[in-house]
Amino acid sequence: MRDDDLIREVDRRHVIQLFDLFADSKFDPFDMIEAYSRTYSRIRADEGSEYHVLKQPINVFNDIVRENNLKETENDVDHIIMHWMAELYVFVRYEKGLSFREILDVVSPEWLYTHYSPLHETSLGNAWEKASCQSG
């Protein structure tokens, strides 16, 4: 496995774990995703810093909670949809070269979540093309 493939796989696994933490938290998961896109770690990871890709998801989660004024909410999100969203965001990050911030500027996490069906029934590439054309 090439180093860039390994980094991509680590990033994928970490984003999935982070989205699971968001889904299980007492905070709005969409606010958490927004806050994540603005963290120093995510910005640096999007710029190619392997060190920041390797930062443990629980540490990133704690940074988000500490650094943001997030509202507690009744959190009842579907873990399967959150997992799919994480997969899609990482796919777009690496295949399209967009940062997490740019991805969220094109398609909000709320929109993506509510349009899971039928988007999840297609490839990640096709799901992104449909979402990026219809969400605006």
Side-chain angles (χ1 to χ4, degrees):
M1 183 176 278
R2 294 187 347 235
D3 284 349
D4 54 336
D5 291 337
L6 182 61
I7 290 299
R8 179 179 176 156
E9 180 60 19
V10 169
D11 199 13
R12 185 183 78 78
R13 288 180 187 200
H14 281 189
V15 172
I16 289 169
Q17 289 173 355
L18 196 53
F19 276 44
D20 284 344
L21 290 169
F22 295 163
D24 290 334
S25 77
K26 60 185 176 183
F27 304 105
D28 183 301
F30 308 122
D31 289 346
M32 298 290 288
I33 294 169
E34 275 289 327
Y36 173 55
S37 74
R38 295 186 307 269
T39 62
Y40 181 73
S41 291
R42 185 69 252 173
I43 292 167
R44 293 289 291 128
D46 288 345
E47 293 171 347
S49 169
E50 294 177 4
Y51 173 80
H52 290 282
V53 168
L54 298 173
K55 188 169 182 178
Q56 291 300 307
I58 189 64
N59 294 333
V60 175
F61 177 85
N62 289 333
D63 289 348
I64 293 168
V65 171
R66 184 179 58 256
E67 296 170 5
N68 294 275
N69 188 18
L70 300 169
K71 298 176 204 158
E72 291 188 17
T73 183
E74 297 241 353
N75 189 353
D76 188 28
V77 294
D78 188 312
H79 280 70
I80 293 171
I81 298 175
M82 292 294 287
H83 180 100
W84 176 80
M85 288 173 59
E87 293 275 9
L88 182 64
Y89 282 141
V90 172
F91 170 83
V92 173
R93 163 70 196 104
Y94 288 93
E95 293 299 317
K96 305 295 182 185
L98 299 176
S99 69
F100 264 64
R101 183 70 252 149
E102 292 169 321
I103 295 167
L104 297 184
D105 287 344
V106 174
V107 179
S108 74
E110 295 90 348
W111 189 93
L112 198 56
Y113 186 89
T114 60
H115 291 85
Y116 169 73
S117 183
L119 290 176
H120 77 283
E121 295 172 357
T122 186
S123 69
L124 292 173
N126 286 339
W128 174 251
E129 293 306 317
K130 289 179 181 184
S132 63
C133 290
Q134 297 179 8
S135 68

